[in-house]
Amino acid sequence: MSAPFVIIGAGQAAAQAAVSLRAEGYGGEIVMIGDETHLPYQRPPLSKAFLAGEMSADRLELKAPNFYPDSGIDVRLGTRAVRLLPAAKAVEIDGGIRIAYERALIATGTRARALPVPGADLEGVFSIRSIDDVARFRAVAQPGAKLVIVGGGYIGLEVAAKANRIGLDVTVVEGQPRVLARVACETISRYATDLQLAHGVRVLTSMGVSAITGTERVTGVELVTGEVLPADLVLAAVGAVPNLELAADASLAIENGIRVDAQARTSDPSIYAVGDVASFPSGLYGRRIRLESVQNAIDQAKAAAKAMLEGAVTYDPVPWFWSDQYDTKLQIAGLLDGFDRTECEGDVAAGRFCVRYFASERLIAVCSVNDPKSHMLARRALAAPLAQGSAA
């Protein structure tokens, strides 16, 4: 009897890989190892509907609880993979127990980047990466409480919107000259800032944080100017770090994440990696990329499942993302790194428009605000070179 396929991680990519293995006809044993105590669940609502209490925890679950035993998937929750042993083709979990594998799939995702300032470990400083994080946050997020969000990216602005809706007094502090500076042009940044200001959120840009103040519990956020913002709660929203330690310790190739090929295969032919933790070659953009998105988690997991069963697959997607803030839906198709000009179409004042990003006259990305049609057209336009390449 052959060893099982072992999936390390129990998030969106891990769950999709297990589902796809069964859909592809794999009848062998599947073992899924997750360090959380929750069955695989959606993460995007954590900073949106779930944070505001508009969605219950059971609605986050990707599959009904009985799906996994009914499908012959052995899900081991609250279990930490401590070592990956390629030579022995085994995963070591808590307690020194080893699980042999025929194929292993790493889907360990990311963790919140810690604030690199004194006081970041005080009670009342949060990140939003899990159901338990949100539960702890909601337990103390009473109306009127002062929340300081450090970081003006998508997560920071999404939390600002929901926290504002449930009655918190919100301030966003961003070190760059504008919010969304790394992921959007000035038009989008300005619109997002005006949206927050219109709802009463204070937004400070070009502003660094020097410390989180307090003794046992946070009382404020000290800015580099010396000003201290009073704070009952602080959210660290300064990005994420891929959980690649298992792979690195196992001497797998690392390059902005776990390096994989177009079949999601690592430098060890029996080990695959998918989702936020994996970097893969993009023919569309001519470089290696790592995507932190639901789209990538799902689609790359499907490709990996097929590849693990020796199916023919080449993973080269058009990236797409979305962000919900108040009644605004921002949708992004493509990657805008390296753009040299933009074109805006629509009515910015009315909150329905799109921005196209170009590099040397080539369309590389489109940001759509409350304009789903332009988003879908953008995805088709960006996919056209891929279709032409596969037909050539």
Side-chain angles (χ1 to χ4, degrees), residues 326-351:
Y326 302 102
D327 296 325
T328 293
K329 180 173 284 291
L330 174 63
Q331 295 170 291
I332 306 96
L335 300 176
L336 52 84
D337 307 29
F339 73 93
D340 49 37
R341 71 178 181 89
T342 62
E343 293 178 356
C344 184
E345 180 180 298
D347 191 337
V348 176

Side-chain angles (χ1 to χ4, degrees), residues 95-334:
I97 299 169
R98 291 190 179 187
I99 303 172
Y101 63 79
E102 180 182 354
R103 297 276 191 275
L105 176 72
I106 303 173
T108 47
T110 58
R111 62 183 180 275
R113 189 184 302 277
L115 287 174
V117 297
D121 58 348
L122 286 171
E123 185 179 350
V125 179
F126 297 88
S127 59
I128 300 294
R129 301 296 298 181
S130 70
I131 286 177
D132 293 339
D133 288 340
V134 178
R136 286 190 293 268
F137 180 87
R138 283 167 49 180
V140 294
Q142 302 301 317
K146 295 183 181 299
L147 167 65
V148 176
I149 300 173
V150 183
Y154 289 124
I155 296 296
L157 297 183
E158 288 171 1
V159 172
K162 288 303 182 183
N164 173 270
R165 283 276 174 89
I166 61 177
L168 274 66
D169 180 349
V170 185
T171 299
V172 175
V173 180
E174 170 56 53
Q176 296 293 316
R178 54 190 175 87
V179 301
L180 303 177
R182 299 177 182 85
V183 293
C185 66
E186 289 188 17
T187 300
I188 298 293
S189 293
R190 191 181 313 115
Y191 180 84
T193 298
D194 290 346
L195 183 65
Q196 295 291 344
L197 294 174
H199 285 85
V201 172
R202 184 184 183 192
V203 179
L204 304 178
T205 55
S206 298
M207 184 60 66
V209 170
S210 59
I212 309 299
T213 63
T215 50
E216 294 183 358
R217 183 172 181 82
V218 62
T219 58
V221 174
E222 183 178 338
L223 306 177
V224 292
T225 59
E227 179 186 359
V228 177
L229 303 176
D232 303 301
L233 305 165
V234 173
L235 175 73
V238 291
V241 180
N243 295 317
L244 47 76
E245 288 78 8
L246 274 176
D249 290 346
S251 298
L252 299 182
I254 304 296
E255 185 178 348
N256 182 30
I258 303 172
R259 182 185 175 98
V260 302
D261 61 16
Q263 291 72 48
R265 189 182 298 107
T266 72
S267 53
D268 183 305
S270 296
I271 303 174
Y272 297 72
V274 295
D276 296 6
V277 77
S279 71
F280 62 91
S282 169
L284 181 61
Y285 290 96
R287 58 187 172 87
R288 181 167 288 275
I289 61 177
R290 184 175 64 83
L291 300 175
E292 297 176 11
S293 72
V294 171
Q295 165 263 325
N296 179 61
I298 293 173
D299 293 346
Q300 194 177 31
K302 291 178 179 178
K306 184 173 290 188
M308 291 169 77
L309 298 173
E310 308 298 334
V313 61
T314 299
Y315 184 66
D316 192 7
V318 173
W320 58 272
F321 317 83
W322 80 92
S323 176
D324 294 329
Q325 298 169 36
Y326 302 102
D327 296 325
T328 293
K329 180 173 284 291
L330 174 63
Q331 295 170 291
I332 306 96

